[in-house]
Amino acid sequence: MKVLIATEKPFAAVAVEGIRKEIEAAGFELALLEKYTEKAQLLDAVKDANALIIRSDKVDAEVLDAAKELKIVVRAGAGYDNVDLAAATAHNVCVMNTPGQNSNAVAELVFGLLVFGVRNFFNGKAGTELMGKKLGILAFGNVGRNVARVAAGFGMEISAYDAFCPAEAIEAAGVHAAKSQEELFETCDVVSLHIPATPETKQSINKALVGKMKKGGILINTARKEVINESELLELMAEREDLKYITDIMPDAHAAFAEQFPTRYFSTPKKMGAQTAEANINAGIAAAKQIVAYFKEGCERFRVNK
Ligand code: 3PG
């Protein structure tokens, strides 16, 4: 059984070693394709792989066509919008994610970026503190819950909205349950995005919504770039000179944001949310274990395609 790790953005070496141990202990073989720059390299590497571990790497019909022996793809992480689920099902390939395994890493980055943001990107001018400010969390999944936990330590007032999580579950975590995402944007000083990229959420963070924010509002995105309506956000930030946008996923319109709003916009050069040794180890080893359990026991827990 051949398991291929294909990561354009590699795991920490210690995580690869952990994955190797799991795979080899099961009597399987591990192959590694890291930092590839051309799709052709991926197409070649998947030819004889029975299982695939990926991160944000794109697995589309062409990759699945090339991977004649493939039975399972595990996205070591939360969001699986990079995998064509319908094509995988058509190719009889099981797709899984590893929910929760990197959520603390993403939540910690939110606060790294937020402190950087409220202190004016460390330009020397007096900024503000987070204590007592209102934080809105959209939505309340694994990352959102971790963000709430850390925000409590900062002494923030915390609200959350989640279209799929009942208000009682949010309140049970000690967080105010907003009635709508509009309420979240209207009432909070900072809104932190933790929604997946789906047909419903794509482009949903638009001018009408962000425009509801109070003076000095900060929008922080460690989720997906696709959920932002970039042209409308550019328009809004030009009209509202008080708003800041901080993101861990470089927008398509990065050059325009950076040029027009050098003191109100920041993007990491490469998505860094899950880029910690701990998150890589957690998600990578979970992926390896899920693959072993799939082949040895037929276990399909965490399967995301039908
Ligand atoms: C996720 O969906 O798990 C995060 O966005 C992390 O993505 P990455 O593995 O590309 O860092």
Side-chain angles (χ1 to χ4, degrees):
M1 208 61 74
K2 184 166 173 181
V3 180
L4 172 70
I5 299 178
T7 45
E8 182 268 322
K9 180 176 63 186
F11 290 119
V14 60
V16 174
E17 280 325 299
I19 296 171
R20 184 181 300 285
K21 274 197 191 125
E22 293 291 334
I23 297 301
E24 291 181 353
F28 300 167
E29 180 196 341
L30 186 74
L32 197 54
L33 173 70
E34 288 183 326
K35 291 189 194 169
Y36 59 94
T37 49
E38 306 295 330
K39 190 176 185 183
Q41 294 170 271
L42 179 61
L43 294 176
D44 188 51
V46 296
K47 269 185 194 152
D48 58 349
N50 306 106
L52 188 54
I53 297 175
I54 53 160
R55 297 186 62 177
S56 290
D57 307 81
K58 281 205 166 43
V59 173
D60 58 14
E62 197 186 357
V63 174
L64 292 159
D65 279 341
K68 297 272 180 271
E69 310 300 325
L70 194 64
K71 296 279 176 287
I72 178 168
V73 176
V74 182
R75 192 281 190 244
Y80 44 86
D81 47 303
N82 49 321
V83 182
D84 185 334
L85 296 188
T89 302
H91 284 78
N92 281 319
V93 171
C94 171
V95 182
M96 296 184 186
N97 66 346
T98 65
Q101 300 291 349
N102 59 21
S103 48
N104 179 66
V106 180
E108 287 190 13
L109 184 73
V110 168
F111 290 89
L113 291 172
L114 210 43
V115 170
F116 183 52
V118 294
R119 300 296 180 107
N120 298 315
F121 306 147
F122 301 160
N123 71 354
K125 290 192 184 144
T128 60
E129 300 181 18
L130 295 177
M131 187 185 273
K133 302 297 183 309
K134 289 193 174 154
L135 171 68
I137 302 174
L138 182 73
F140 209 58
N142 289 311
V143 182
R145 283 168 187 271
N146 274 284
V147 169
R149 174 180 54 78
V150 181
F154 275 94
M156 300 186 85
E157 274 183 46
I158 315 161
S159 298
Y161 175 75
D162 189 318
F164 300 98
C165 178
E168 301 75 55
I170 294 174
E171 300 275 348
V175 171
H176 167 70
K179 292 195 175 41
S180 62
Q181 51 180 14
E182 284 75 15
E183 181 192 322
L184 214 59
F185 279 85
E186 264 163 25
T187 56
C188 293
D189 302 293
V190 178
V191 173
S192 189
L193 303 177
H194 303 291
I195 45 178
T198 66
E200 292 75 32
T201 64
K202 281 182 184 168
Q203 306 273 317
S204 67
I205 308 303
N206 56 22
K207 189 175 178 184
L209 199 56
V210 185
K212 291 186 186 301
M213 289 193 88
K214 296 192 270 186
K215 193 167 186 308
I218 300 177
L219 176 66
I220 178 155
N221 184 8
T222 53
R224 287 292 180 272
K225 70 176 177 185
E226 291 83 359
V227 303
I228 304 285
N229 184 321
E230 293 184 8
S231 56
E232 290 193 12
L233 186 58
L234 278 165
E235 212 178 286
L236 178 70
M237 286 178 70
E239 285 170 21
R240 289 266 314 259
E241 291 185 4
D242 57 302
L243 295 178
K244 279 185 182 152
Y245 180 47
I246 304 172
T247 180
D248 185 34
I249 315 95
M250 191 174 278
D252 293 334
H254 168 71
F257 278 102
E259 194 189 303
Q260 291 180 50
F261 316 116
T263 58
R264 297 190 284 130
Y265 162 80
F266 175 80
S267 172
T268 53
K270 198 155 205 164
K271 189 165 59 154
M272 290 300 295
Q275 217 31 347
T276 65
E278 293 89 338
N280 288 176
I281 291 167
N282 293 344
I285 292 181
K289 285 191 163 145
Q290 287 171 218
I291 286 169
V292 171
Y294 177 78
F295 284 120
K296 301 238 172 195
E297 298 150 29
C299 176
E300 295 202 352
R301 196 173 167 211
F302 304 118
R303 182 173 182 140
V304 293
N305 63 330
K306 301 229 167 67

